[in-house]
């Protein structure tokens, strides 16, 4: 029983990180209808920028984090402005965009591996303190992850509920022409989408890196986690993404308990395939009229 | 700006609100518009007709900047707007109703209306919304309904009210009464007239297949065939009595149409 409770707690902590990834990936996927593979590149970029700032330039950790997140955001926005937007203006198909995105991802992974090496880089030294609540143990870093993750997701949820601009961003995915002819600033909206997406990627990346460190190849894992959470939960429902992230986290932590950590990927893709086979619109998607 | 338009062999001098001259436009390699020109003046109720696939929607898209023409010049209120973004054209007074996909089904009716009023000032938002709901009274009871659940006629009314939120001076409407019953169609026309009378809409350009109703409304007609302007007239009324006169243009091939 205690073990199950502990697993649930771990699941909630992991879900907060997965939610960040789901929101980051989902924002671009939903509003641009575009599978942003380079999301994985933004993910590693942010943490390595922090490492660079702290280790090479000697900034304190807090300053490095702010600069690192900013670099991630600027990087994400530039990917759109320099690659995706020009391609789209030349009416390139979605296949071209996908390959371009994969190209950006590979470029970044190799560049970072070249500069920093392939091994895991540690951001915080020493063993972090942990708290015990009766039989439950939760580390300080886990608490931070959980609080920051859910805080960001909740704040964001309030914003999209209240703000007409963000509703326009939401509508952009299915009704791009409409959003433009209503006079909404389409290109600026793209900037906002990529900036927010990159911010979420960076935040997730740092929360993990501060705990267990980072290596150049974890971007793909982050991308897939976000993508699977969004697709499983349903692209068109914001809380569906969160539910998808939660489901993924809890099932993974159950698999770790029953089998081993190697089963994580199997669980991820198992859920994805089952969803695609039986409910391709997502587990929580509502029923719609056909003409929508 | 003063310029000369050629209409049925006559030369007429006029101040045009919006003019597009010699527009060539294509989708990829497929050319759709061939030297098409249109001019809309204040007080105009221009009816743009032509067979399916003639390029009517394409022409309107060029006017609002959704499609960039390969050749041609567009002026609005005397300014060359050819290089303006869609947003700039909309906020400077052109309202555009898309032929389809003109509401956001996932948002509520209220949210859709607010989206239509995105570019207007915050302090007039409530007044505008009230004005719109005065015209489309039945939307009042449905403000919190998901727009995707509306019927075809209600959707079209919502879409028009979203466009009217910006109080455009020029209204471009792509088949506002498509798929509606004759009664609903004439009520849409009533609303458009009303908008022109009280909401500061100076001119309307409408694409419409239902000629019976729209010919009564129009004071100018442009026939587009195969991407070319085949005919322009200031007396749409005569076609009401003799529809065969208009039909003869429809059956002419684009190559034979006089330009
Ligand atoms: N996005 C597009 N890509 C490629 N071809 C297109 C596209 N949109 C329209 N076309 C083509 O351009 C031509 C003109 O289309 P357009 O929509 O302007 O016709 P229309 O006069 O509005 O017809 P309708 O009365 O049926 O609405 C058609 O042959 C159509 O197939
Ligand atoms: Mg059309």
């Amino acid at each position: 029983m205690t073990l199950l409770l502990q697993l649930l707690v771990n699941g909630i902590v992991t879900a907060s990180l997965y939610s960040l990834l789901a929101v980051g990936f989902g924002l671009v996927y939903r509003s641009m209808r575009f599978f942003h593979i380079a999301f994985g590149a933004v993910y590693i970029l942010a943490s390595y920028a922090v490492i660079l700032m702290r280790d090479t330039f000697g900034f304190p950790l807090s300053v490095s984090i702010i600069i690192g997140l900013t670099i991630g955001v600027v990087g994400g926005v530039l990917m759109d402005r320099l690659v995706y937007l020009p391609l789209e203006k030349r009416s390139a198909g979605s296949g071209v965009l996908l390959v371009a995105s994969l190209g950006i991802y590979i470029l970044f992974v190799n560049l970072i591996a070249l500069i920093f090496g392939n091994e895991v880089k540690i951001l915080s030294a020493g063993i972090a303190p942990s708290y015990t609540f009766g039989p439950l143990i939760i580390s300080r870093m886990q608490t931070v992850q959980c609080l920051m993750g859910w805080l960001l997701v909740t704040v964001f949820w309030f914003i999209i509920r209240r703000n007409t601009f963000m509703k326009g961003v939401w509508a952009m995915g299915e009704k791009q022409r409409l959003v433009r002819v209503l006079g909404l600033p389409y290109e600026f909206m793209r900037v906002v989408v990529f900036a927010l997406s990159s911010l979420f990627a960076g935040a997730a990346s740092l929360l993990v890196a501060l705990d267990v460190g980072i290596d150049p190849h974890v971007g793909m894992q982050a991308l897939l986690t976000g993508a699977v959470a969004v697709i499983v939960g349903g692209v068109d429902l914001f809380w569906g993404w969160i539910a998808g992230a939660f489901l993924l986290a809890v099932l993974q932590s159950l698999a770790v308990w029953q089998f081993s950590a190697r089963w994580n990927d199997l669980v991820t893709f198992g859920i994805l395939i089952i969803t695609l086979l039986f409910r391709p619109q997502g587990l929580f998607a509502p029923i719609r009229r056909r003409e929508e | 700006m003063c310029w000369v338009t050629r209409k049925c062999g006559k030369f007429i001098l006029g101040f045009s609100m919006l003019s597009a001259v010699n527009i060539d436009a294509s989708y990829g390699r497929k050319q759709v518009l061939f030297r098409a020109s249109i001019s809309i003046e204040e007080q105009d109720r221009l009816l743009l007709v032509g067979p399916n696939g003639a390029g009517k929607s394409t022409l309107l898209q060029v006017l609002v900047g959704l499609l960039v023409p390969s050749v041609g010049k567009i002026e609005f209120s005397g300014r060359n707007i050819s290089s303006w973004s869609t947003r700039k054209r909309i906020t400077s007074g052109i309202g555009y109703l898309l032929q389809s996909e003109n509401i956001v089904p996932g948002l509520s009716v209220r949210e859709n209306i607010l989206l239509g009023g995105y570019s207007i000032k915050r302090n007039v938002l409530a007044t505008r919304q009230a004005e719109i709901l005065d015209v489309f009274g039945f939307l009042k009871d449905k403000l919190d309904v998901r727009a995707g659940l509306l019927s075809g006629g209600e959707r079209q009314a919502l879409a028009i009210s979203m466009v009217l939120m910006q109080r455009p001076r020029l209204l471009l409407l792509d088949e506002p009464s498509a798929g509606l019953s004759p009664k609903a169609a004439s009520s849409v026309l009533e609303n458009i007239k009303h908008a022109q009378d009280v909401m500061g809409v100076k001119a309307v350009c409408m694409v419409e297949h239902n000629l019976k109703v729209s010919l009564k409304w129009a004071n100018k007609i442009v026939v587009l065939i195969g991407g070319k302007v085949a005919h322009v007239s200031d007396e749409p009324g005569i076609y009401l009595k003799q529809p065969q006169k208009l039909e003869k243009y429809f059956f002419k091939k684009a190559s034979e149409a006089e330009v």
Side-chain angles (χ1 to χ4, degrees):
Chain A
M1 190 60 216
T2 311
L3 185 62
L4 210 63
L5 215 60
Q6 179 73 50
L7 283 170
L8 191 69
V9 170
N10 291 354
I12 293 173
V13 173
T14 314
S16 70
L17 296 171
Y18 286 7
S19 303
L20 292 178
L21 294 174
V23 173
F25 175 82
L27 253 173
V28 175
Y29 190 54
R30 158 76 215 194
S31 58
M32 234 76 86
R33 296 281 151 173
F34 162 56
F35 202 101
H36 182 32
I37 298 176
F39 181 75
V42 177
Y43 183 88
I44 50 172
L45 177 65
S47 280
Y48 275 97
V50 174
I51 292 172
L52 183 74
M53 288 303 138
R54 201 198 52 177
D55 294 355
T56 312
F57 295 107
F59 288 113
L61 187 62
S62 54
V63 178
S64 305
I65 287 177
I66 293 170
I67 301 178
L69 283 176
T70 313
I71 290 178
V73 166
V74 171
V77 171
L78 284 184
M79 287 174 192
D80 180 46
R81 303 297 297 185
L82 299 182
V83 182
Y84 304 150
L85 189 64
L87 279 177
E88 204 186 270
K89 278 197 173 151
R90 268 181 270 148
S91 48
S94 55
V96 175
L97 282 167
L98 203 67
V99 172
S101 191
L102 183 63
I104 299 176
Y105 173 74
I106 292 172
L107 182 78
F108 270 83
V109 172
N110 286 309
L111 267 180
I112 285 173
L114 207 67
I115 300 170
F116 296 91
N118 270 316
E119 66 280 9
V120 176
K121 285 265 177 189
I122 303 294
L123 254 174
S124 63
I127 293 170
S130 52
Y131 313 113
T132 44
F133 301 96
L136 297 178
I137 303 171
I138 179 164
S139 74
R140 190 165 76 188
M141 202 50 227
Q142 276 187 312
T143 324
V144 174
Q145 286 174 342
C146 194
L147 289 179
M148 281 306 290
W150 291 122
L151 181 76
L152 277 174
V153 169
T154 316
V155 167
F156 186 68
W157 183 73
F158 271 106
I159 294 174
I160 56 170
R161 286 293 300 250
R162 291 293 154 85
N163 184 288
T164 305
F165 179 82
M166 287 311 289
K167 281 177 191 157
V169 167
W170 195 256
M172 192 160 77
E174 47 189 341
K175 300 283 178 297
Q176 198 214 90
R177 281 199 312 171
L178 174 63
V179 163
R180 296 174 67 180
V181 300
L182 288 178
L184 277 83
Y186 174 67
E187 290 195 8
F188 177 65
M189 288 162 89
R190 287 180 72 122
V191 171
V192 172
V193 165
F194 278 92
L196 285 173
S197 163
S198 307
L199 185 67
F200 277 95
S205 157
L206 274 173
L207 288 170
V208 174
L210 283 169
D211 194 15
V212 298
I214 188 159
D215 73 69
H217 303 283
V218 291
M220 189 51 84
Q221 192 76 37
L223 164 75
L224 293 176
T225 305
V228 172
V230 168
I231 293 166
V232 165
V235 185
D236 297 329
L237 265 189
F238 180 72
W239 67 263
W241 305 352
I242 310 299
F246 206 86
L247 189 72
L248 214 57
V250 170
L251 287 181
Q252 280 185 358
S253 98
L254 283 178
V256 171
W257 170 47
Q258 279 295 331
F259 311 105
S260 82
R262 291 203 201 134
W263 284 68
N264 268 356
D265 285 349
L266 196 75
V267 171
T268 312
F269 289 104
I271 300 171
L272 178 66
I273 288 166
I274 291 172
T275 309
L276 289 180
L277 280 180
F278 296 104
R279 261 187 92 84
Q281 74 274 42
L283 294 181
F284 311 102
I287 295 155
R288 300 164 142 236
R289 282 172 71 131
R290 275 192 47 213
E291 61 263 42
E292 287 178 27
Chain B
M1 197 205 92
C2 184
W3 75 298
V4 183
T5 33
R6 210 181 101 184
K7 293 167 180 172
C8 322
K10 295 181 291 186
F11 283 92
I12 293 176
L13 232 52
F15 283 96
S16 55
M17 195 170 183
L18 181 115
S19 68
V21 189
N22 288 337
I23 302 290
D24 273 7
S26 18
Y27 295 104
R29 226 171 287 144
K30 183 182 177 204
Q31 188 168 354
V32 174
L33 293 180
F34 302 84
R35 303 282 147 167
S37 298
I38 192 169
S39 138
I40 306 167
E41 277 136 58
E42 275 195 20
Q43 306 309 326
D44 264 1
R45 296 187 299 277
L46 190 151
L47 184 61
L48 181 58
V49 295
N52 292 119
K56 306 180 294 293
S57 302
T58 307
L59 181 56
L60 294 191
Q61 284 179 37
V62 167
L63 296 183
V64 291
L66 280 181
L67 186 68
V68 181
S70 46
V71 183
K73 182 170 152 192
I74 304 163
E75 285 190 353
F76 180 57
S77 300
R79 280 179 293 179
N80 187 342
I81 61 168
S82 305
S83 60
W84 289 16
S85 69
T86 300
R87 172 173 160 74
K88 200 166 170 198
R89 298 186 200 200
I90 299 296
T91 50
S92 68
I94 303 178
Y96 176 43
L97 177 79
L98 284 163
Q99 180 171 5
S100 58
E101 312 257 313
N102 45 23
I103 59 164
V104 186
L107 297 179
S108 73
V109 170
R110 188 198 311 275
E111 288 168 332
N112 267 287
I113 294 177
L114 288 179
L115 212 53
Y118 175 81
S119 47
I120 63 177
K121 291 207 181 67
R122 275 278 171 83
N123 52 355
V124 290
L125 210 54
T127 353
R128 292 275 171 89
Q129 192 180 336
E131 281 170 9
I132 298 284
L133 290 178
D134 266 352
V135 182
F136 301 96
F138 61 93
L139 287 177
K140 262 185 207 154
D141 311 326
K142 307 212 164 184
L143 280 177
D144 294 307
V145 175
R146 261 182 92 233
L149 300 176
L150 296 179
S151 77
E154 290 166 338
R155 275 169 180 242
Q156 212 61 8
L158 173 61
I160 294 174
S161 36
M162 286 161 71
V163 177
L164 287 176
M165 278 299 277
Q166 307 144 15
R167 280 286 184 106
R169 277 181 295 148
L170 170 65
L171 203 52
L172 307 174
L173 302 168
D174 203 341
E175 303 197 23
S177 52
L180 302 190
S181 69
K183 202 167 151 235
S186 51
S187 104
V188 163
L189 269 183
E190 280 307 311
N191 291 326
I192 292 164
K193 267 186 206 148
H194 184 76
Q196 208 162 1
D197 292 342
V198 304
M199 288 195 183
V201 176
K202 296 263 166 46
V204 182
C205 167
M206 182 162 85
V207 175
E208 190 53 77
H209 284 296
N210 182 351
L211 293 180
K212 243 189 205 148
V213 190
S214 51
L215 276 175
K216 273 188 218 143
W217 164 85
N219 68 359
K220 194 169 166 186
I221 184 165
V222 173
V223 184
L224 197 67
I225 294 171
K228 298 179 182 172
V229 175
H231 181 64
V232 179
S233 165
D234 271 344
E235 294 156 290
I238 57 169
Y239 302 111
L240 208 55
K241 282 169 229 132
Q242 296 155 290
Q244 69 278 11
K245 265 197 172 168
L246 197 57
E247 274 158 19
K248 80 167 195 251
Y249 292 108
F250 283 71
F251 296 115
K252 224 186 235 179
K253 283 213 193 82
S255 50
E256 303 161 18
E258 41 167 324
V259 183

